[in-house]
Amino acid sequence: MKKIICILVCSLFISIIGYSQNNVIQKTERISNKLYVVENGNRFLVDTTRIVVKTKKSLDNSGLDIKPIYRHRLGFLDIPVPQNTDIVDYAEKLRKTGLFEFVELITECKLLSTNSIQETETKGSFLTEINAINAWKFTMGSPSVKVAILDCGIKRDHEDLGYGNDGYSNVSYTQGHDYINNTLYTAPVGGHATRVAGILGAKANNSIGIAGVAGGNHSQGVTMLSYRITYNDESSFTNVDDAICDAVNAGAKVINMSITTSSQSTIDEAIDYAYNHGVSIVCGSGNNNSSSLGYPASNSKTISVGALNNNTRWQQGSIGSNYGYGLDLVAPGTNIETTNVNTNYTSYYNGTSLAAAQVSGAVALMLSLVLP
């Protein structure tokens, strides 16, 4: 029976099989005294104050005057760039020593933006489109399933997500982390993360807002953990790899990442860490209307998700769902109603972030059937 249910939930989405990561072509570019990494047509600002490295052995007797300023969970080191030194030249100098497995630039992390739509536009229910109601005959989500949302911070006091008159919350108040302020996730909130959380786990049948894919029914649904790795409206230099590792160690079985950055070995190894611990990582494919997937969706160990508009690929002028080799699944991504931060109710949005949240919710439903 469980196999039948899993097949049912999987069939909620159109599957597009992908086998490997996109070919990555990176170059650096300088504009107005700022350095960027350009990858597959996307430009990412570089932090020119530090470099991340993975050493082959101890640097104590290397003869290099290097004092690490940060040690990552998986042992990578952030090292400072000496004053009056070009970062690109310095990185190449370190590579030539042969002491490092990799020497990489640190680039900004951006959210996959969602754009609001006008109230006059035609709207549909993504829950109907993905056939969630039939899946709910078997489960509407279990609190034992933890889903980490690596984003800009969930509005956890939203009554359709956190504590309300019903006395329970689908967002954890005791787990999660704010990597910008380096503290337990508490107050900062972002619209993007709140929209993702609503689709994934808004409460059902509570007469407020919407129902999420795995939001429970008059009781707690899946447990969402908020990991704040970037701002809502601005990019940030952040430790995505540490957030992934921390989420795994906190017991998350699903990690939702609707973000984009340049390809990085630190994030690849953190994804390996999650994969080897049986954790599913779900990523939006990107909104650049490109035939190349954004990163980290292009990593073959993630579930990369594109967005549909009435069963065709979402396109809206110059933006649209990224597609091509490596795309795994697609789900509705236009005219999606979900929770917002301005009121305790909802608005309508487009984007691959919204499609990815549906897939994360579907994975969480499957796990709700098998986890105690």
Side-chain angles (χ1 to χ4, degrees), residues 1-15 127 129-141 213-214 329-331 357-370:
M1 175 60 74
K2 288 181 178 178
K3 289 183 179 180
I4 294 173
I5 298 170
C6 287
I7 292 172
L8 169 65
V9 178
C10 286
S11 69
L12 301 181
F13 305 96
I14 300 171
S15 177
L127 294 170
E129 292 182 67
I130 67 174
N131 203 21
I133 288 80
N134 281 337
W136 286 348
K137 295 175 182 177
F138 305 100
T139 180
M140 294 184 74
V213 176
L329 298 169
V330 290
Q358 294 166 58
V359 173
S360 292
V363 175
L365 285 183
M366 288 189 281
L367 292 171
S368 296
L369 294 169
V370 297

Side-chain angles (χ1 to χ4, degrees), residues 190-257:
H192 188 273
T194 303
R195 294 191 279 274
V196 168
I199 292 168
L200 200 160
K203 300 173 184 178
N205 295 322
N206 64 341
S207 301
I208 296 175
I210 64 163
V213 176
N217 183 22
H218 293 299
S219 61
Q220 187 180 349
V222 297
T223 301
M224 294 182 285
L225 312 182
S226 184
Y227 287 83
R228 186 180 185 229
I229 58 172
T230 188
Y231 298 98
N232 185 48
D233 298 318
E234 299 178 29
S235 62
S236 67
F237 299 111
T238 191
N239 297 317
V240 176
D241 56 305
D242 281 0
I244 294 172
C245 293
D246 289 347
V248 173
N249 294 340
K253 293 302 180 184
V254 184
I255 296 176
N256 189 101
M257 291 198 298

Side-chain angles (χ1 to χ4, degrees), residues 284-297:
S285 66
N287 302 335
N288 303 113
N289 203 26
S290 170
S291 60
S292 296
L293 304 185
Y295 180 85

